[in-house]
Amino acid sequence: MAQTGTIYLVGAGPGDPDLLTLRAARLIESARVIVHDGLVDPAILALARGDAQLISVAKRRSHHTLPQEEISELLVRVARSGQDIVRLKGGDPFVFGRGGEEAEVARAAGVAVEVVPGISAANGAAAAAQIALTHRDASSIVSFVAGQCKGLKDQDWAGLAGKGRTLVVYMGVKTAPQIAEKLMEDGLSPDMPVAVIENGTRPDMRVLRGLLAGLPDLVEHEKVVSPALIVIGEVTARDDVALAVAAQEAAR
């Protein structure tokens, strides 16, 4: 009977291949089987060996190549065949990456699993946009929420955004109107500064700024597409941030 392989839950970071960890890069280069998300940059997949089997399990709103349960079953099945397998995820596997679910299934099946953290989308995109998620003069608390999930309107976001706080919304492009409405209903000022970071860390990155009340119009007018993050808080409107990003965009 073949020895059971190991499932590696690997964070691919926010997009730029240079932001991969050494551990992630080595695993990608040596893996014979890689199961990857749709948002993993092609330049990262190009690091794989020529005979590697690349399996896309891309997820899009209301359409999944494979349901999550089948992805987990696939990982276990490959490992039980005796092969190691890399499950490659954008950002970090344990930050809105469903890595926790896949690790639980692997452990329940008696399959070894290793988690290789990656630079999260929030950390990477904010750094590329030169938005400090924390700042002594503007924010001492950071919260991460998913903007695309069941029961969004019924969730309690009170206190997650406001003075001295930064809120980062993942997967919020399609639900930007509901997000803005929800936060304003919870008491957040319509004039709270926001930033939308599209394709963070990649050559075609865009950083769009506005106010909370205008967030839906900003997303629609600029035709923002995923991957994109919404950052809400005073840190997005600091003068030094706006000037630095403007200078970078002018130099392109």
Side-chain angles (χ1 to χ4, degrees):
M1 183 177 294
Q3 183 178 355
T4 302
T6 297
I7 298 172
Y8 295 94
L9 304 179
V10 178
D16 185 345
D18 285 344
L19 297 179
L20 285 170
T21 66
L22 290 175
R23 178 65 170 157
R26 289 167 181 160
L27 285 168
I28 294 168
E29 291 169 349
S30 63
R32 292 185 179 275
V33 183
I34 298 176
V35 176
H36 64 90
D37 288 344
L39 295 181
V40 174
D41 195 279
I44 292 176
L45 296 176
L47 299 175
R49 51 191 291 167
D51 61 348
Q53 182 182 9
L54 302 180
I55 303 172
S56 173
V57 290
K59 294 183 175 69
R60 292 292 185 268
R61 186 174 175 86
S62 302
H63 176 73
H64 293 178
T65 304
L66 281 181
Q68 183 58 46
E69 295 77 10
E70 293 185 26
I71 294 175
S72 298
E73 291 171 3
L74 170 64
L75 300 178
V76 170
R77 185 166 64 251
V78 171
R80 281 180 168 168
S81 74
Q83 298 184 81
D84 292 340
I85 181 169
V86 165
R87 174 69 173 102
L88 192 58
K89 300 170 174 289
D92 180 274
F94 279 4
V95 181
F96 298 122
R98 298 192 177 183
E101 299 172 41
E102 293 169 359
E104 289 171 358
V105 171
R107 290 194 296 265
V111 174
V113 59
E114 178 182 324
V115 181
V116 180
I119 295 176
S120 71
N123 287 340
Q130 297 195 25
I131 295 174
L133 296 180
T134 65
H135 192 292
R136 285 194 302 169
D137 296 331
S139 175
S140 60
I141 298 174
V142 183
S143 299
F144 303 133
V145 298
Q148 180 181 309
C149 56
K150 295 179 180 179
L152 176 62
K153 187 172 180 61
D154 297 328
Q155 291 185 30
D156 183 8
W157 287 8
L160 294 184
K163 187 172 180 57
R165 298 170 181 264
T166 303
L167 179 63
V168 181
V169 184
Y170 283 67
M171 301 169 285
V173 171
K174 297 295 185 181
T175 55
Q178 294 93 320
I179 290 168
E181 179 182 6
K182 177 181 183 62
L183 289 171
M184 288 187 290
E185 285 180 351
D186 287 345
L188 194 60
S189 170
D191 294 332
M192 176 60 68
V194 302
V196 179
I197 309 173
E198 180 187 73
N199 292 317
T201 78
R202 305 183 191 205
D204 55 349
M205 181 180 79
R206 290 197 297 166
V207 183
L208 309 169
R209 286 181 168 77
L211 302 177
L212 180 61
L215 176 61
D217 290 338
L218 177 66
V219 169
E220 181 179 3
H221 181 266
E222 295 293 339
K223 296 180 172 57
V224 177
V225 297
S226 295
L229 289 174
I230 300 170
V231 185
I232 301 167
E234 296 171 348
V235 294
T236 67
R238 296 187 61 79
D239 290 342
D240 53 346
V241 171
L243 288 171
V245 173
Q248 283 189 347
E249 292 178 348
R252 289 179 181 175

